[in-house]
Amino acid sequence: MLIESKAQFNSLAAQFSDGIADYSPKPIRASKIREMLAKAIGFKSHNGLLSQLPIDAQCWAKSDALERLSHLLKSHDGIKAPVTDIIAQAIDRGCGINGQVQCTSQSRTIEDYAFSRTADYDGKTVICLTPLGRKVYEECMALHDSIPLISIENLERWEEAMLRLIDRHPANPWPKAMYCYCVAPSFWQANWCEALPHHPEKGFMPDAEEGFREYAGSYGDELLPIATTAIEQFEKWLGPNAKTVAEHNLISENAETFYWPAILYIGGMIALNSGEDRLAKRWLGLNLKLVAQDNFGARYGLSVLRLNDGKGSVRSLFPQDSACAWGWLARALDALVRGNTDKAVQNFLLALKYNYGVCEAFGQPLRERKQIRIMSNHAAPAFIQEFMFRTLPFWKAHPEAKSFFGAICRDPYVQVRVEDYHVHRSEGIGSAFKTAEFRIEHERRAGELWEGVSRAVASASRNARPWP
C-alpha cells in the first residue's frame, strides 16, 4: 500500500489521531501528529516526508517505527497507547491501493457518528452518539476546556483547532454546532447584556459596547454558512423526527440532546443578525417547540421578528408571570399598535420598573444612573439597547409609537420618579430580608412613578399629541 499524495498522508494521520484520542489527556494538534509520524520512520520533518513520496504505508508497522512512535507519544504528555493496533487500523482505514483513499472521514455519513431511538415513556426521539461520535464530541469539549477564551490569541487558536476538526469530520454536525454555540456569544451574537462585565460592588456595567451593533452583522455573515450546514445535516438525518426530539436536559446513556436545539437557537440569532429573518423565524420557532420552557431564550428574537413584520402576537411569548423588561416593552408595543392604549401604558410602566434603560431609550440618560446598582444583566440598559436596535423596522413603520412613549419619558417628572425608584431599589440589594419600612417606602415610590406616568399621558393628551 503506497502513500502517494499529501491528501493520503493527511488521511492516515487523521485516522491515527482518532485512535490516539482515547488515550490522550488533551487533543494533539494535527501538525504534531504528522511530525510524529514523519519522525517515526526516520524523517526530520513532515515536509521532508512529503518530499520523498511515494512511501509504503507498512513502514509504520515495523518494530523500530512503532518503538519510536511510542517514545514520541510518551514524551508528549505521557501518552501510553496500543500503538501497534492503532497504526494498523489507521493504515487499513486511511489509505488504499493506487492512491485511492478509502473509508476516511470524507466518506463517512452522520450515521457513523450518531443514531436515534424512541423513548418508551413519551415517544420522543432521543439522539445518541456512537463510540466514534462520542470520541469527536469529547474532542470538541476537550478543545474548549484546554484553550480558555481569555484573549484574542487563545480564541484564534481555539477557532483554528475547531475548524480543523470540522474539516476532518465534514458529515458530523456536532463540531459545527459547538463552534457556533461557543464562538458566537464571544462575537456578540447572543444577548448583548450577557457580555457585560460585573463589579462586586457596583454590579453589572450598564451599557452595551458600541461595537456590538457593527459586529452583530459582520460576524453573523461569517458564522451563518457554518450554522446553516449544521442545521441542514441534522434535519436531513432526523427527518420528521427533527420536531420531536426529547427535552435537551434528558439524562440517559449515550444521549446527546443538547446541541440540536442549541444550534437552532444560536443559528436563529446569527440569522437575525445577518438580516435573514425567514431563517431566524423558522429556526427560533423550532427551538421553542423543542424546548417548551425556552431555556435558550428564543422568545426574545421571535418577539422582535413578530413586531417588525406585524405578524403574530408577542403576548404568548411573554406570559404575565414570567415577563422581564424586554417582554413588558414588547407587550406594550403590541398593545399600542392594536389600539389598546391603556394596556400599553400599564405594560410600559412595568418595563420602566424592571429596567431604567427603558426610560433612557425614549428620553435621555438619567442624571443619577451611576448611583444605581444593577445586579441582573437583564436589568441593565444594554438589554433594552439591544431591543431598540433590533426593532428598528418597527419604529420606522410606527413613528407614532416612538412619539407616544417619548412623550412619557421626556416628561421631567417621570424622569425624576424613574431615577428615584431605581436608586431606592438598588439600595435594598444585598439584604436577605428587607424591612417592612423599606417595603412600604418602595411601594410609595412605585406609586409616585405610576402617578408620574399617568400625568405625562394626560399632559400629552391635552397638548393634542398624535396618539395612535
Side-chain angles (χ1 to χ4, degrees), residues 194-468:
E194 299 294 342
L196 294 177
H198 182 269
H199 189 277
E201 295 179 1
K202 297 180 180 179
F204 287 96
M205 300 299 102
D207 300 306
E209 293 281 352
E210 282 300 314
F212 287 4
R213 294 167 174 80
E214 174 187 350
Y215 294 141
S218 60
Y219 284 117
D221 294 341
E222 178 180 315
L223 291 170
L224 186 59
I226 300 175
T228 301
T229 301
I231 292 173
E232 287 176 348
Q233 287 178 326
F234 271 119
E235 287 186 316
K236 184 178 179 180
W237 173 57
L238 290 168
N241 295 329
K243 300 179 181 180
T244 60
V245 171
E247 282 280 4
H248 69 285
N249 57 2
L250 177 72
I251 299 175
S252 177
E253 184 179 3
N254 295 323
E256 200 301 290
T257 50
F258 176 79
Y259 277 98
W260 166 228
I263 189 58
L264 284 171
Y265 165 70
I266 204 68
M269 297 305 295
I270 290 169
L272 183 62
N273 289 341
S274 297
E276 297 290 341
D277 291 354
R278 182 184 60 82
L279 282 178
K281 182 171 285 191
R282 184 166 74 84
W283 292 344
L284 291 173
L286 183 51
N287 171 273
L288 194 58
K289 287 181 180 178
L290 292 175
V291 188
Q293 280 123 18
D294 194 25
N295 298 344
F296 289 95
R299 61 190 179 278
Y300 299 113
L302 286 171
S303 65
V304 165
L305 291 164
R306 292 183 185 183
L307 287 170
N308 286 343
D309 66 17
K311 297 178 181 178
S313 170
V314 302
R315 285 174 293 178
S316 62
L317 297 172
F318 297 99
Q320 263 190 291
D321 60 349
S322 63
C324 57
W326 184 301
W328 287 121
L329 182 54
R331 286 170 64 101
L333 302 186
D334 185 69
L336 192 69
V337 298
R338 293 175 186 275
N340 193 337
T341 304
D342 290 341
K343 180 59 71 175
V345 172
Q346 293 171 12
N347 291 336
F348 191 70
L349 172 67
L350 290 167
L352 287 172
K353 290 170 69 174
Y354 272 87
N355 191 318
Y356 71 83
V358 174
C359 185
E360 294 185 336
F362 297 93
Q364 59 188 11
L366 301 183
R367 292 169 302 175
E368 299 295 324
R369 72 193 319 260
K370 290 184 178 179
Q371 307 304 317
I372 300 173
R373 295 168 63 199
I374 304 169
M375 302 311 291
S376 165
N377 48 22
H378 281 190
F383 197 38
I384 302 304
Q385 290 160 7
E386 179 184 2
F387 177 90
M388 299 299 289
F389 175 76
R390 293 195 183 283
T391 51
L392 288 175
F394 173 87
W395 301 115
K396 185 176 181 180
H398 299 281
E400 75 281 0
K402 195 91 170 188
S403 173
F404 179 83
F405 295 114
I408 296 174
C409 294
R410 287 192 297 270
D411 186 290
Y413 187 75
V414 171
Q415 291 180 10
V416 170
R417 298 276 65 83
V418 169
E419 183 176 274
D420 182 64
Y421 176 85
H422 281 279
V423 168
H424 187 259
R425 182 185 182 191
S426 70
E427 288 174 355
I429 292 174
S431 301
F433 300 97
K434 295 183 176 65
T435 64
E437 290 80 6
F438 180 90
R439 292 195 299 271
I440 293 171
E441 175 65 15
H442 200 60
E443 287 300 318
R444 183 185 69 78
R445 298 185 189 217
E448 290 180 346
L449 176 57
W450 170 245
E451 178 190 354
V453 170
S454 300
R455 285 175 52 177
V457 172
S459 174
S461 180
R462 286 194 302 271
N463 293 332
R465 293 288 178 87
W467 299 128

Side-chain angles (χ1 to χ4, degrees), residues 116-117 132 144 163 179 185 187 239 299 302 318 370 393 439:
S116 63
R117 60 178 173 82
L132 176 61
H144 181 263
L163 289 172
Y179 179 78
F187 286 156
R299 61 190 179 278
L302 286 171
F318 297 99
K370 290 184 178 179
R439 292 195 299 271

Side-chain angles (χ1 to χ4, degrees), residues 113-135:
Y113 300 100
F115 61 94
S116 63
R117 60 178 173 82
T118 301
D120 296 332
Y121 55 90
D122 62 0
K124 291 290 187 72
T125 299
V126 179
I127 295 175
C128 299
L129 298 175
T130 66
L132 176 61
R134 177 65 60 181
K135 185 184 296 184

Side-chain angles (χ1 to χ4, degrees), residues 32-235:
K32 186 67 176 178
I33 287 287
R34 292 193 289 267
E35 291 295 325
M36 287 183 184
L37 289 172
K39 290 179 179 179
I41 57 173
F43 291 98
K44 292 183 178 179
S45 68
H46 165 226
N47 289 330
L49 181 150
L50 295 179
S51 68
Q52 298 298 314
L53 294 179
I55 293 174
D56 187 348
Q58 290 300 322
C59 65
W60 278 283
K62 296 180 179 179
S63 59
D64 55 343
L66 292 170
E67 187 176 343
R68 289 193 203 101
L69 197 51
S70 296
H71 176 73
L72 290 166
L73 287 169
K74 189 175 181 179
S75 300
H76 184 85
D77 290 333
I79 298 172
K80 296 180 180 180
V83 175
T84 302
D85 294 337
I86 294 173
I87 199 67
Q89 292 177 4
I91 292 171
D92 182 54
R93 295 176 179 175
C95 58
I97 301 174
N98 298 325
Q100 298 297 316
V101 177
Q102 63 181 14
C103 195
T104 69
S105 59
Q106 299 294 326
S107 64
R108 290 180 179 133
T109 65
I110 192 172
E111 285 81 5
D112 293 315
Y113 300 100
F115 61 94
S116 63
R117 60 178 173 82
T118 301
D120 296 332
Y121 55 90
D122 62 0
K124 291 290 187 72
T125 299
V126 179
I127 295 175
C128 299
L129 298 175
T130 66
L132 176 61
R134 177 65 60 181
K135 185 184 296 184
V136 175
Y137 177 89
E138 290 175 351
E139 187 171 349
C140 288
M141 300 304 292
L143 277 174
H144 181 263
D145 295 340
S146 66
I147 307 177
L149 306 185
I150 57 174
S151 69
I152 294 298
E153 180 183 356
N154 283 343
L155 178 59
E156 289 176 350
R157 288 172 55 209
W158 186 84
E159 283 186 80
E160 290 173 1
M162 283 294 292
L163 289 172
R164 284 197 300 271
L165 194 60
I166 289 172
D167 289 340
R168 282 171 46 205
H169 300 278
N172 188 336
W174 272 270
K176 302 179 188 72
M178 290 188 188
Y179 179 78
C180 290
Y181 187 81
C182 296
V183 171
S186 300
F187 286 156
W188 307 304
Q189 305 300 320
N191 291 330
W192 294 353
C193 63
E194 299 294 342
L196 294 177
H198 182 269
H199 189 277
E201 295 179 1
K202 297 180 180 179
F204 287 96
M205 300 299 102
D207 300 306
E209 293 281 352
E210 282 300 314
F212 287 4
R213 294 167 174 80
E214 174 187 350
Y215 294 141
S218 60
Y219 284 117
D221 294 341
E222 178 180 315
L223 291 170
L224 186 59
I226 300 175
T228 301
T229 301
I231 292 173
E232 287 176 348
Q233 287 178 326
F234 271 119
E235 287 186 316

